[in-house]
Amino acid sequence: MSSSLDSEGDEGEEELRDGGVPFFVNRGGLPVDEETWERMWRHVARIHPNGEALAKEIRGATDLPKIPVPSVPTYQPTTTIPQRLEAIQKYIRELQYNHTGTQFFEIKKSRPLTALMDIAKEMTREALPIKCLEAVILAIYLTNNMAGVERFPLSFKSHFSGNHFYHIVLGVHSGGRFGALGMSRREDLMFKPLEFRTLLDLVQEFEGAYRGYWHTLRKIKIGQYVSHDPHSVEQIEWKHSILDVDKMSKEELRKELERHTRDMRLKIGKPAPPSPVRDRKNSMGSPHKGPNSPIRRISRAERRYD
């Protein structure tokens, strides 16, 4: 059971694990260069129960079925917010969870929102399987034009059998109710419909899911509301509040989550910093990298999710 939950990295405590196994990040952009491609298959051969036989079978096949490309959701004017969120989650599911051990899109959390949105557009074009941090970026992109829907990162650190596991979803708030969008191997650790009255209710829903897998929830990190401006040069605030939930009483947790909810409301309406006039792609860096970019394993100093 310990090898089946999503793992994430964070500064100073990164496990560099995808379900208990070290994983790689594709840093060379798309299409995947030969070195990254071959490394991915070697990794698959190591981590899969059937090892090299499976890799050879797939790579040698000439009649593999064509994989359908999911369509980005579109809506009628009468489509409600809950229905739109469900359609977005359905699209994220259709991309499927990435079990290869190589994350296809490099997500640097310190990049400005506009650069992360460029990567989200690339996800919709390539339609490749994704992990939980990629799903959060994609969900932000797909909800940018939904007025009245506020979005915030919500990450979890859990403990099971001597190991720590990490996961992240995108919290959503609209019409006085909370919910979540995301990607996970576990059905109850991603989408939550827009029906939770308070942030505490939403957090406790996830906590109950973790208990179902015999995981103890140790820590949650909650960010601020994310700008709806896809050209914003703001950075996402990933951890406005860091709560050691295993050391807090329910009342203490309730008060802290109420405080965080007030803090998020205060951000609404604050003007964002102006976008620079110069070419953003040159100044911020493109998500695409040259074929000679170095490929390396994740260092403990970097933050990686899933």
Side-chain angles (χ1 to χ4, degrees):
M1 187 65 68
S2 65
S3 63
S4 57
L5 290 182
D6 307 288
S7 63
E8 155 228 20
D10 208 344
E11 286 181 314
E13 56 187 12
E14 186 173 16
E15 288 298 312
L16 316 184
R17 302 276 162 172
D18 177 7
V21 178
F23 72 94
F24 295 96
V25 173
N26 168 35
R27 303 183 191 281
L30 295 170
V32 176
D33 60 55
E34 184 177 357
E35 181 182 353
T36 304
W37 182 250
E38 293 301 327
R39 183 192 64 186
M40 181 187 76
W41 281 107
R42 289 195 301 269
H43 192 58
V44 168
R46 284 196 302 270
I47 65 177
H48 195 277
N50 294 334
E52 294 184 7
L54 176 78
K56 288 179 180 177
E57 180 183 351
I58 295 174
R59 300 188 72 177
T62 57
D63 58 348
L64 290 173
K66 186 174 178 60
I67 303 299
V69 176
S71 298
V72 176
T74 56
Y75 319 104
Q76 299 297 323
T78 54
T79 307
T80 66
I81 294 296
Q83 289 171 335
R84 293 180 187 215
L85 294 176
E86 287 183 18
I88 290 170
Q89 183 64 48
K90 180 175 182 289
Y91 173 75
I92 291 173
R93 287 176 197 268
E94 288 174 346
L95 291 178
Q96 300 186 28
Y97 186 89
N98 180 355
H99 292 279
T100 66
T102 296
Q103 182 175 302
F104 294 122
F105 301 95
E106 183 181 15
I107 307 295
K108 292 183 178 178
K109 291 165 64 181
S110 60
R111 299 189 80 184
L113 186 59
T114 179
L116 294 174
M117 294 302 94
D118 286 343
I119 295 172
K121 290 177 192 174
E122 191 178 17
M123 289 185 212
T124 63
R125 289 194 301 268
E126 300 293 340
L128 292 169
I130 57 176
K131 293 177 176 291
C132 61
L133 181 57
E134 293 162 298
V136 166
I137 299 303
L138 182 58
I140 291 172
Y141 172 71
L142 295 173
T143 53
N144 270 339
N145 61 355
M146 294 172 63
V149 177
E150 300 299 339
R151 299 82 43 82
F152 58 94
L154 176 61
S155 63
F156 306 93
K157 175 183 178 180
S158 65
H159 181 265
F160 173 79
S161 189
N163 295 306
H164 287 108
F165 294 80
Y166 300 81
H167 183 48
I168 187 168
V169 297
L170 184 69
V172 292
H173 181 252
S174 181
R177 292 291 185 270
F178 288 90
L181 299 167
M183 174 64 87
S184 172
R185 295 179 183 84
R186 297 296 194 175
E187 188 69 24
D188 48 3
L189 288 177
M190 44 183 178
F191 177 65
K192 301 296 178 185
L194 201 63
E195 60 183 32
F196 297 91
R197 190 176 58 83
T198 67
L199 188 52
L200 175 64
D201 292 338
L202 178 63
V203 166
Q204 288 182 325
E205 171 71 15
F206 277 103
E207 187 174 22
Y210 274 106
R211 281 198 306 271
Y213 302 116
W214 302 283
H215 278 234
T216 301
L217 193 57
R218 289 288 176 84
K219 185 180 291 187
I220 62 171
K221 298 177 184 179
I222 319 170
Q224 274 278 22
Y225 283 156
V226 179
S227 170
H228 281 263
D229 177 8
H231 305 297
S232 171
V233 295
E234 286 185 80
Q235 292 179 346
I236 294 173
E237 188 173 353
W238 296 94
K239 45 184 182 181
H240 184 77
S241 296
I242 302 175
L243 306 179
D244 294 315
V245 293
D246 61 333
K247 299 176 183 176
M248 303 172 70
S249 68
K250 182 176 178 180
E251 182 62 18
E252 289 170 333
L253 180 61
R254 181 186 65 79
K255 287 181 178 179
E256 284 299 311
L257 292 176
E258 286 180 352
R259 178 194 59 77
H260 184 89
T261 302
R262 290 193 298 270
D263 288 350
M264 289 195 297
R265 288 197 195 108
L266 288 173
K267 185 181 178 183
I268 298 178
K270 287 187 178 179
S275 298
V277 176
R278 65 183 181 277
D279 184 353
R280 230 176 261 107
K281 189 159 259 185
N282 290 332
S283 62
M284 298 301 173
S286 167
H288 295 276
K289 296 188 177 180
N292 296 321
S293 299
I295 308 294
R296 53 192 171 83
R297 296 188 75 158
I298 312 162
S299 73
R300 293 189 67 85
E302 296 172 327
R303 290 178 283 183
R304 284 291 173 268
Y305 277 74
D306 212 31

